[in-house]
Amino acid sequence: MQARSETPGVIMAAPSDRQVALRFARLTGGFWKAASARRAWFWSLLLAAAIILSVFANVTINRWNGWFFDALEKKDSESALIAMAVFPVLVLVAAGLGVVILVSRETFQVHWRQWVTAKLADSWVGERRFFRLSLSGYEPANPEYRIADDVRWATEPVVDFAIGLLSAVITIITFIEILWEIGGALTLRSGGAVIVIPAYLVLAAIVYAVLVSLLVTFVGRRLPSLIAARNEGEARLRFSLMRIRDHGETIALSRTEAGERRAVARTYDGLVGRWLAMIRQRGRLTWITNGSGALVPVVPLLLAAPKYLSGEMSLGGVVQVAAAFVAVQNAFNWVLDNFMRIAEWLAAARRVNELADALERVDGEPPGEHLAIQQSHDGLLHLDGVTLIDRDGRTLAADISCSLPPGATLHVSGELGLGKAALVQAVAGLWPWGRGTIMLPPGAFVTAVPQKLHLSEGSLRAILETGKAVPEAQLESALRRYGLSGLAPPLDESRDWDKELATGDRQRLALARAELERPDVVLLDEATSAFDTDAALELLTELRAARPDAIIIAFGQGAGFAEAATHRLLLKRAGGVVRMASRHVGPDQPGMAAALPAQAGPAE
C-alpha cells in the first residue's frame, strides 16, 4: 500500500503495522527512563506480580473443581464439605488480586498517558512549532485531536494488551500441564490396528486455536486501515463544527450558514461511508468470533466424552479438563479476542507517530531555498537581499534590503499582500522559505504585536506575565499608560476575555504586553488599526518611551505614523511580484515608484 507523504508531490510507502508498533515504542519508551522511571517501574512490576498470582489463583480454582466434583461423584461428604469451606478463601484471594490488577492497571494508564501527552504537547507548543508546523506542509490533520484523544487510544490498550499477553503465556504453560496430566493419550482402535495419540487434548487445543487465529487474521486484515479512516473522518467532522463556533460572528453577520451546513453535511456523508465500510468488515469477522465462541465450551466435552464413558476419566477430571481447555483456548486466541482493539490501537498509534514525526521534521532545515538568520556584528538589524517565497516556490516579495540601528522606527507601506505576513514571520524567525539574510542584533528578543491579540483562558495577569512574574506595580503602570487602568482590579479574575474586550482594548493590551516583554525588536502588524492617527501615535509614543532602544518595524500603519518614523520602506508590485521600490524612477523600471525619503535617512 502507498500513501502520500506530508511533503506535497511526494509519494512514499505507508509504514507497516510492525513499523508503527516499533516507532510508537521508541516514542513512548522514555516513560521508563525519564524522571518518571521510579513510578513507571513500581506500577509495572506490581501489575505483573498481580497478574502472575491471579493466574495461579485460577489454576488453584481449576484444581478445586476436580477435587469437588470427584468428591460428589464418590459421595465423599467429608471431602466435599472441606472443599466448600476452602472455596470462599479462594474467592477472596482471587477478588483481592482482581482489585490490585484494576487499580494498578488504571493508575499506570493514567500516568503513562500523562507523560506521553505532556511530551507531545510540550513539543507542539514549544519553540512555536504549532505555527511553524502549519506553515511547513508537514502538519497532519487535527494535531490537537491526536494529542487529546489518539494518545489515550494509543496508550490505554497497550497496558491491557500487556496484561492479556502475559496472562495468556502463563495460562498456556500452566493449563496445558493440566490437559497433559489429566487428558493423557487417546487410544483409537480400528479393526486390528491401534492408534495412540499422545496428549491429544493439548494437540486439539493448539490446532483449533491456530486455525481460528489464521482465519481471523485473514478475514480482518483490512480492519486497521478502515478504523484509521473512520477516526480521520471523525476528526474532520469535529474540526468542521469547531470552525463554525470559532467564526460564529462572521458567519451569522454574513448569513453564510447555508454553506457551512452543506460543508458539514459533506463531511458527515464521508464519515458515514467510512463507518459503513468498517461495519461490513466487522460483520464478516463476527461470523468467526461468534462461531468460535459457541464451539469452544463444547469441543473439550466431546473430546473427553470417550474417556469418561470408558471409565478412564472421572467426572471431576472432565470438568477440570473442560475448564483447562477453555482457558488454553482463550489464551491461544488472544489475538482473536483482541483483534478489534489491536486494529484500533494501530490506527491511533499511527496518528500519534505521524504527529511526532512531523514535529521532528519541522525542526530540520526546510526543503529548497531558505532564509539565513544570523547575528549582526555591528548591533544593527539588516535585511540583506531578502526574497520571500511560499513552500510551492512562488515569490511573495523580492529584493528587500535595509539596515536599522537601535532606536530606529521603520514604517513599511505599499502593496504588501501576502508578502506582509511572510515578512513579519520571517523577521520573527517563523518563515523559512526564501533567499537572502536577516541579521539581528546579538541576543535580540523579537516580539510581534498582532492586529488581534489572542486571549487564552485564564486571568489577565497570566496573559500579561508572558512566562515570567512581573511586579504588581509594573503591571498596573503598563495598563495605565495604555489606557487600561480599569482592568487592574479584575487582573486575577478568570473570564472569557476573548469576548469581553473590544478590538481597541485588545490592541491596547497587546501593546502593554509587548512592553512588559522588554523586546529588542518590535513588529507592529497593523497593531493600532482600531484607532485614529492621533490616538495611534499616542500609544506608539508610550511604547517608544518605555523601550527607547528597541527597533520598531510597523506594517500597515496610517500616514501619520509614516511621518513620525525615522525610516521608511515602500514596496511596490512589479511583474506580479512585490519588490522594494527604487529611489529613482527610470524608463527601464515601469510601474516602480520612488522610495519615500525617511526623516533620518533612507532605508537601505
Side-chain angles (χ1 to χ4, degrees), residues 507-508 528-540 557-561:
Q507 292 186 348
R508 293 176 186 271
T528 58
S529 60
F531 303 96
D532 59 29
T533 300
D534 292 338
L537 286 174
E538 288 179 8
L539 292 172
L540 295 174
Q557 302 294 143
F561 182 77

Side-chain angles (χ1 to χ4, degrees), residues 386-408:
V386 171
T387 294
L388 302 172
I389 61 177
D390 64 15
R391 68 170 184 245
D392 294 324
R394 292 172 297 186
T395 301
L396 303 176
D399 304 326
I400 301 173
S401 297
C402 68
S403 297
L404 302 173

